[in-house]
């Protein structure tokens, strides 16, 4: 049995990860300030003796009075409406100070630490699909930069703690992931479209809808995180994790409308600035190093996610 700390453990990915780790027989310590996460996401775990929750802001130093084998660092809002605007400064602090505090803890505990970086570090990509050696095209002063540059700085911190402090790191770059435990008001495209269609509201496409994303179902992504954490010590990443099947936002809207089958009307709103035009991971490295590729098709993943939101609404 390993003792595993998950920051951001009440969020969408974090809560799915905590469940999987507890079910696999580990002891899990979940650390979160519940900014975009919630206790409902971990309600099936809260009475489990192998699960504990600490309400804590990762911008403050983190101390734990027991040995820790592994740390997954997920704390950070991931939805543009949640990380931008008034939250921007806090987002950068969470990325940077949160990384420092998690890395210091890993150093003290001699724990392996995995950072959840993001496809956003590629910005508006000039290389398509994106490979790990592409250095990105980020607007450092744009409205997304609080997140993009915060995550880029965290990558730098991870590699410098590895080089100069001997910390055992794993760095993953996650591409758009969706599924149960996203919040109904999360603001990301799949949760928005499904909740809008289920409640008979207009489906809001930003821009012309010809921008693309590649969506990965959460169970596939969690499997990849665990494989990466337990990969050979010398393998640090960065490694892209996501589903390479690319779709326009317009096609996504139509797919969801067709599945939910009501008369939802699609309306067009302005495109937020610096919204990437296209995004698709090259996952050759993940296939080679982790023997991993996504198994869940978009159709199957959407069905499960629609069922989840139907049960909530
Ligand atoms: P989420 O917003 O659902 O979860 C983030 C969690 O972090 C929440 O529980 C939130 O309360 C917590 N948190 C935020 N600021 C905190 C702070 N200062 N102190 C303590 N806890 C804090 O987002 P998610 O989709 O689950 O993303 C998890 C991680 O994965 C994030 O780091 C995100 O950048 C990364 N990621 C996710 C995706 C995706 O598509 N879901 C893609 C790329 C990267
Ligand atoms: N989007 C949209 N309608 C919405 C929410 C998002 O058209 O209600 C678009 C958004 O502009 C972006 C894409 O869908 O082009 C993915 O948005 P999301 O916020 O889910 O992820 P990210 O932009 O971070 O990849």
């Amino acid at each position: 049995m390993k003792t595993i700390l998950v920051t951001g453990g009440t969020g969408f990915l974090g809560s799915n990860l905590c469940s999987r780790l507890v079910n696999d027989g580990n002891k899990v310590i979940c650390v979160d300030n519940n900014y975009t996460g919630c206790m409902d996401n971990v309600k099936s775990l809260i009475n489990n003796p192998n699960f504990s929750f600490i309400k804590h802001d990762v911008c403050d130093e983190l101390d734990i009075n027991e040995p820790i084998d592994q740390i997954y660092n997920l704390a950070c809002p991931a939805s543009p409406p949640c990380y931008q605007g008034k939250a921007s400064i806090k987002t950068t602090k969470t990325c940077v100070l949160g990384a420092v505090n998690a890395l210091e803890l890993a150093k003290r505990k001699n724990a392996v630490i995995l950072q959840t970086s993001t496809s956003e570090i590629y910005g508006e990509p000039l290389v398509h699909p994106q490979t790990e050696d592409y250095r990105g095209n980020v607007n450092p002063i744009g409205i997304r930069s609080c997140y993009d540059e915060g995550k880029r700085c965290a990558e730098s911190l991870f590699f410098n703690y590895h080089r100069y402090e001997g910390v055992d790191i794993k760095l993953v770059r996650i591409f758009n992931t969706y599924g149960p435990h996203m919040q109904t008001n999360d603001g990301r495209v799949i949760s928005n479209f499904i909740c809008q269609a289920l409640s008979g509201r207009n489906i809001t496409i930003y821009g012309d809808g010809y921008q693309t994303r590649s969506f990965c179902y959460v169970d596939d992504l969690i499997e990849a995180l665990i494989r990466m954490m337990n990969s050979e010590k010398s393998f640090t990443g960065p490694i892209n994790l996501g589903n390479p099947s690319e779709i326009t936002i317009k096609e996504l809207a139509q797919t969801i409308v067709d599945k939910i089958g009501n008369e939802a009307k699609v309306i067009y709103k302005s495109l937020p600035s610096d919204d990437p035009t296209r995004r698709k991971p090259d996952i050759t490295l993940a296939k080679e190093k982790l023997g991993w590729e996504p198994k869940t098709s978009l159709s199957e993943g959407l069905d499960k996610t629609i069922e989840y939101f139907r049960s909530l609404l």
Side-chain angles (χ1 to χ4, degrees), residues 78-81 83 118-120 144 147 176 182 186-193 196 203-207 209 211-213 215 249-250 252 269-272 275-277 279:
S79 164
Y83 69 63
T118 165
S119 53
E120 283 280 332
R144 295 175 90 97
Y147 181 73
N176 298 66
M182 294 180 98
D186 181 88
R188 282 179 270 190
V189 68
I190 289 194
S191 47
N192 268 9
F193 286 179
Q196 287 164 343
I203 309 281
T204 53
I205 291 184
Y206 303 158
Q211 70 271 37
T212 70
R213 294 292 186 274
F215 295 99
I249 296 304
K250 204 179 164 80
L252 176 72
K269 291 192 157 188
S270 58
L271 185 70
D275 196 292
T277 315
R279 182 182 289 157

